[in-house]
Amino acid sequence: MAQDKAPAMCEKAACPNIGECWNKHHAAMMILGSVCTRACAFCNVATGTPDKLDPHEPENLARAIKKLNLKYVVITSVDRDDLLDGGVSQFVKCIEEIRKITPETTIEILTPDFLNKKGAFEAIAVASPDVYNHNIETVPRLYAKIRPRARYFHSLYLLKMVKQTNPKLFTKSGLMVGLGETKEEVLQVMDDLRNAEVDFITIGQYLQPTPKHAKVDRYITPEEFEHYNILLILKDF
């Protein structure tokens, strides 16, 4: 990370909602480099040999947030399966530096699954961001196609354990639709996340970032989204 400059995940992932969020002084910053060790079928972030960790990244990130006057920031990262702790220590340092330099900023942490990294997500929960987000992404049946190196029930376990580790934390997860899932499968994911004590769920239309990524199966209608919204309210999200 360059001095006083943080790479925005919004740009790296070619997010179509970038203008709406940035206009509200919200942004997602990506740490741990710009190259991922995984190759999920929906994600536009580059896959390959990861960058070396920048020891000054936490401080530079906090300075960038202050300079941009961000009211709300999401700190996310590439998957770093090559690191012993998956990059957890860098997440913790970033939280600490943001609290020190710009304590008024609300911090949401959006983490990978830290598969096979013992104690990883619990350590971030103890560092007490305002929100701990880990996206479930899709329904279990589509994991082999969409998230081939991830495990659905591990992600549920992560969210459950974060809440148990720090009950004061808000937990959050996101689900993409339009990948070929059924309505019944979406409802099951809602129930699974409710059982994992997740506080907030976001449901959004999957958009294909490039022709090489997973194709859009269909576009969900506004009426269907409204139906999902009603169900989330009924399920106490």
Side-chain angles (χ1 to χ4, degrees), residues 94-110:
C94 286
I95 294 169
E96 292 172 348
E97 285 297 322
I98 295 168
R99 295 290 191 217
K100 186 190 305 181
I101 294 177
T102 174
E104 67 279 7
T105 300
T106 299
I107 304 171
E108 177 179 329
I109 301 298
L110 172 56

Side-chain angles (χ1 to χ4, degrees), residues 57-120:
E57 183 172 55
E59 181 182 356
N60 290 339
L61 173 65
R63 287 177 176 174
I65 290 169
K66 185 173 182 63
K67 189 173 183 179
L68 292 169
N69 190 30
L70 295 181
K71 302 173 184 176
Y72 194 112
V73 65
V74 180
I75 309 301
T76 189
S77 78
V78 293
D79 276 283
R80 290 300 302 261
D81 297 312
D82 58 309
L83 300 175
L84 289 177
D85 70 349
V88 165
S89 58
Q90 197 81 328
F91 267 103
V92 171
K93 290 174 184 175
C94 286
I95 294 169
E96 292 172 348
E97 285 297 322
I98 295 168
R99 295 290 191 217
K100 186 190 305 181
I101 294 177
T102 174
E104 67 279 7
T105 300
T106 299
I107 304 171
E108 177 179 329
I109 301 298
L110 172 56
T111 74
D113 60 14
F114 299 120
L115 194 61
N116 300 321
K117 309 295 184 183
K118 187 175 181 181

Side-chain angles (χ1 to χ4, degrees), residues 16-224:
N17 299 316
I18 188 170
E20 181 180 353
C21 293
W22 285 20
N23 188 53
K24 295 178 180 177
H25 284 194
H26 297 178
M29 299 296 191
M30 188 164 68
I31 64 172
L32 300 175
S34 58
V35 180
C36 189
T37 54
R38 300 189 191 178
C40 296
F42 64 89
C43 183
N44 195 49
V45 175
T47 303
T49 303
D51 309 320
K52 290 183 178 180
L53 287 186
D54 178 0
H56 303 293
E57 183 172 55
E59 181 182 356
N60 290 339
L61 173 65
R63 287 177 176 174
I65 290 169
K66 185 173 182 63
K67 189 173 183 179
L68 292 169
N69 190 30
L70 295 181
K71 302 173 184 176
Y72 194 112
V73 65
V74 180
I75 309 301
T76 189
S77 78
V78 293
D79 276 283
R80 290 300 302 261
D81 297 312
D82 58 309
L83 300 175
L84 289 177
D85 70 349
V88 165
S89 58
Q90 197 81 328
F91 267 103
V92 171
K93 290 174 184 175
C94 286
I95 294 169
E96 292 172 348
E97 285 297 322
I98 295 168
R99 295 290 191 217
K100 186 190 305 181
I101 294 177
T102 174
E104 67 279 7
T105 300
T106 299
I107 304 171
E108 177 179 329
I109 301 298
L110 172 56
T111 74
D113 60 14
F114 299 120
L115 194 61
N116 300 321
K117 309 295 184 183
K118 187 175 181 181
F121 43 85
E122 294 94 336
I124 297 177
V126 170
S128 292
D130 297 290
V131 181
Y132 193 120
N133 187 353
H134 172 67
N135 287 334
I136 207 80
E137 305 292 11
T138 189
V139 301
R141 178 175 56 84
L142 297 178
Y143 258 56
K145 175 184 175 183
I146 303 302
R147 298 185 72 198
R149 292 181 61 186
R151 301 292 181 269
Y152 177 77
F153 288 103
H154 174 76
S155 286
L156 287 176
Y157 172 76
L158 180 159
L159 290 161
K160 178 77 170 182
M161 290 306 298
V162 164
K163 178 63 79 172
Q164 290 188 2
T165 301
N166 187 347
K168 294 181 180 180
L169 262 183
F170 289 111
T171 52
K172 178 180 175 183
S173 192
L175 176 69
M176 298 178 291
V177 287
L179 283 162
E181 71 290 329
T182 67
K183 187 176 293 183
E184 291 73 23
E185 287 176 315
V186 172
L187 297 182
Q188 184 60 60
V189 171
M190 289 183 187
D191 287 340
D192 290 343
L193 290 172
R194 180 69 283 174
N195 289 333
E197 301 181 63
V198 172
D199 296 297
F200 306 113
I201 299 179
T202 60
I203 302 178
Q205 172 68 51
Y206 167 68
L207 297 174
Q208 186 180 19
T210 74
K212 69 179 181 180
H213 290 87
K215 294 182 179 179
V216 176
D217 180 75
R218 74 184 185 96
Y219 290 96
I220 310 305
T221 66
E223 291 75 20
E224 288 176 281

